[in-house]
Amino acid sequence: LNGFRVWKLDKNGNILLTLGDGIEGFQTGTVSFDEVRFSLISCIKCGKDGNLYLVDSGNFAVRMINPYEKTVTTIVGTGKPGYSGDGGPAKLAKLGRGDYHISFYEGPWYLSVDDKCNIYIADTGNNVVRKVERKSNIITTIAGRHKVDRTKHLIVGETDPMNMNLPYLISVEYYKNRLYVSDWRGDLAILRPIK
């Protein structure tokens, strides 16, 4: 309820494990399954490393669930909204806005994980796609403009990903060295190749 918990279910829908106690919260660093708290989880993906990656949208963060060590680690974000950190450690970056006109749309909303466990984040509140390089844990903006025109759609034939107008960015999906970026109005852009 309210995006404060993660459940693991068996094939019949029986609950095997619950993360979060149902109370909204946030922790930086790494905490155990018993301690973890979330706020408005909007997306969960499995990486090839066996870890789960989730958007903790209400906390303006991305977190990693390690099922082997039974821990949850905040890997992107400080828990505070903003647009900063490009070129530096992802855990010090700020995602989302915190002053958006639709409250549930303020933070990051979606993520995708590629074959090397690099993370692509739909930083919805900031109208950009950001990449976290797994080996270095450095975050960069790879598509979109922070300042957008909400009255305009994507321009057909736009070749500069940094000039994409993404005022209603909702998802980013990695598949076979391409990144599919969409907004809730139906606009879709395909970025290729992703390096």
Side-chain angles (χ1 to χ4, degrees):
L1 299 173
N2 300 318
F4 302 158
R5 288 185 171 134
V6 175
W7 286 277
K8 178 181 179 181
L9 309 174
D10 67 17
K11 65 181 180 179
N12 297 315
N14 299 308
I15 298 173
L16 300 176
L17 177 68
T18 303
L19 302 183
D21 58 7
I23 299 171
E24 184 177 18
F26 181 66
Q27 302 102 341
T28 58
T30 300
V31 294
S32 71
F33 278 7
D34 294 334
E35 301 171 282
V36 69
R37 287 186 170 169
F38 306 100
S39 177
L40 189 58
I41 298 165
S42 59
C43 177
I44 300 177
K45 294 291 180 105
C46 185
K48 289 214 166 183
D49 56 3
N51 294 316
L52 295 171
Y53 297 86
L54 65 86
V55 177
D56 192 352
S57 187
N59 285 317
F60 310 98
V62 172
R63 302 175 82 182
M64 182 183 76
I65 298 172
N66 185 322
Y68 313 106
E69 297 180 2
K70 298 188 175 168
T71 58
V72 178
T73 302
T74 300
I75 57 173
V76 185
T78 63
K80 303 290 183 190
Y83 181 51
S84 66
D86 277 355
K91 65 183 179 179
L92 301 179
K94 290 187 178 178
L95 307 172
R97 286 181 54 145
D99 62 350
Y100 202 76
H101 63 280
I102 305 172
S103 62
F104 68 83
Y105 215 55
E106 294 179 344
W109 194 249
Y110 201 87
L111 66 73
S112 193
V113 184
D114 71 15
D115 299 334
K116 297 178 182 175
C117 291
N118 298 312
I119 302 168
Y120 303 91
I121 304 165
D123 189 353
T124 304
N126 286 312
N127 318 299
V128 296
V129 177
R130 301 176 85 178
K131 177 182 178 180
V132 178
E133 202 269 329
R134 175 60 184 243
K135 285 186 179 179
S136 66
N137 204 40
I138 297 296
I139 190 169
T140 54
T141 297
I142 62 168
R145 301 183 304 224
H146 181 56
K147 297 183 187 281
V148 294
D149 183 342
R150 297 201 181 281
T151 67
K152 297 192 183 304
H153 284 260
L154 285 171
I155 298 169
V156 175
E158 177 61 68
T159 59
D160 181 0
M162 301 305 288
N163 196 39
M164 291 170 55
N165 191 57
L166 302 168
Y168 301 101
L169 175 63
I170 194 69
S171 72
V172 56
E173 194 66 59
Y174 175 88
Y175 182 70
K176 291 189 176 179
N177 207 35
R178 289 187 171 104
L179 208 57
Y180 298 82
V181 180
S182 64
D183 74 18
W184 67 264
R185 300 171 303 178
D187 287 349
L188 173 69
I190 302 172
L191 305 182
R192 56 192 165 113
I194 300 301
K195 296 179 181 178

